[in-house]
Amino acid sequence: MENRYFTIEEMVSLPLLRNPVINPAGNRVAYIKMNTDWDDNEFRSQVWVYDAEKDFSYPITDFKTESTVPSWSPDSHMLAYLSNAGKSGEKKRQIFVKRSPEEAAIQITSAPDGVDSYRWSPDGKGFFYLSTPEDKAIKKRKELYGDFEYVDKEYRTRCLYYVSIDKAISKFEETLKTPKDMRKGQDDKEVETEDLAEKLFCSGGSYYSQFCNNTRFQTGIIYCCSAS
C-alpha cells in the first residue's frame, strides 16, 4: 500500500479527546470527545464515559446535543455535566445529571442566564454554581439598540447559587410515571425542571469568575477564585 498524507478533510475529521475525569471509585472515566459535524459545518463536544470494568465507552448525549464539563458525584453514582436547554434561540447552559447509561438525563437547574461553572457539594446532595444575571437596564437597551457595551465602564454582577438535587430527581421520577407522549420535555433524555436554586450572594466589579481546583467548603464558607 502506497504511503500518502492525510487530506485536510481527514485531518479535520479526526476526533479530539480532552479533560479526563476519573470517578472516586476509580472504575470509570468521563472525558470530552470533539467531533466534526459536516452537515452543520461545526465542531461538537460531547461527554463520553469509559467503563473500565466492562471495557466499554459510551456517549452521555446524542451527537446533536453538546455536553461539557463532566463531574462525578462524591459517591461515584452520578455524573453531572453542562448542556444547553430551553426554547429554541434561548438555550442556556444548565446542569444535568446521569445516573446510568440507560436512564434519561435529569435537568437540575433552570438558571435564566445559564450556568457559568459549578461544583458538587461535599455531601453530594446539591451543586454550588456561578451565573451572571443580565442587568435589566442593559437588557432593555439591547432590545432597543442591539448588543454593545461601554468598555471598562460596565460590569456584570456574578452570583453564587446553591441547588439541591432532591426535588429535581423527585420530579423526574414522578414524570416517568406519566405517559411518554404527555411528558413536558425536549425528548426522553431530558425532563424539564423549574428553577429551584437559592441565591447565596453576588459580587460587584471584582467578581468570582470560577471555582478553582482547590475550592474549599468549610462551615458554610466557600473559598473560590476571584478576578479583578
Side-chain angles (χ1 to χ4, degrees):
M1 182 177 179
E2 183 181 353
N3 293 331
R4 66 178 182 84
Y5 293 105
F6 281 110
T7 65
I8 294 178
E9 181 175 334
E10 287 173 335
M11 293 181 65
V12 174
S13 297
L14 289 173
L16 298 177
L17 307 182
R18 54 190 173 88
N19 299 351
V21 182
I22 303 173
N23 71 345
N27 59 351
R28 286 180 293 173
V29 181
Y31 58 94
I32 303 295
K33 184 177 183 180
M34 188 171 71
N35 288 295
T36 307
D37 185 346
W38 289 104
D39 292 336
D40 292 340
N41 194 30
E42 61 181 285
F43 294 107
R44 295 193 182 278
S45 296
Q46 291 177 290
V47 175
W48 281 64
V49 172
Y50 171 70
D51 189 322
E53 295 176 349
K54 298 179 180 179
D55 192 21
F56 176 70
S57 295
Y58 56 90
I60 293 299
T61 54
D62 61 64
F63 182 70
K64 293 292 185 179
T65 304
E66 288 200 282
S67 50
T68 57
V69 197
S71 180
W72 294 100
S73 62
D75 63 4
S76 297
H77 292 162
M78 290 185 283
L79 176 66
Y81 62 92
L82 295 182
S83 186
N84 288 336
K87 298 179 181 178
S88 179
E90 300 178 4
K91 292 181 180 293
K92 303 290 184 180
R93 292 205 311 175
Q94 307 293 347
I95 300 172
F96 287 78
V97 296
K98 191 89 167 177
R99 297 190 293 189
S100 71
E102 299 80 18
E103 190 176 74
I106 306 171
Q107 182 178 334
I108 301 299
T109 61
S110 290
D113 297 284
V115 174
D116 298 333
S117 58
Y118 74 98
R119 284 287 187 275
W120 282 92
S121 62
D123 59 10
K125 294 183 178 180
F127 296 96
F128 292 94
Y129 71 88
L130 296 172
S131 183
T132 309
E134 188 170 40
D135 183 87
K136 293 182 179 179
I138 295 177
K139 184 177 181 180
K140 185 175 181 179
R141 185 189 70 195
K142 186 187 297 183
E143 293 173 351
L144 292 174
Y145 305 111
D147 191 9
F148 67 92
E149 65 176 300
Y150 293 103
V151 179
D152 294 331
K153 291 187 177 181
E154 291 182 343
Y155 299 94
R156 293 187 63 180
T157 299
R158 186 158 292 184
C159 299
L160 177 69
Y161 299 82
Y162 174 79
V163 60
S164 169
I165 65 175
D166 290 341
K167 290 183 179 179
I169 290 179
S170 295
K171 182 178 179 181
F172 168 79
E173 292 175 340
E174 188 66 29
T175 301
L176 293 182
K177 300 176 183 178
T178 305
K180 187 174 181 180
D181 58 350
M182 296 176 63
R183 295 179 191 172
K184 181 184 178 183
Q186 297 176 7
D187 53 39
D188 63 343
K189 289 184 170 55
E190 298 179 357
V191 177
E192 295 180 355
T193 183
E194 59 185 303
D195 186 11
L196 304 172
E198 173 190 359
K199 183 188 293 185
L200 301 180
F201 67 85
C202 298
S203 60
S206 179
Y207 55 81
Y208 291 97
S209 59
Q210 61 182 354
F211 290 102
C212 308
N213 290 332
N214 63 345
T215 299
R216 293 177 292 153
F217 303 86
Q218 294 180 351
T219 61
I221 302 175
I222 303 164
Y223 300 84
C224 47
C225 292
S226 63
S228 55

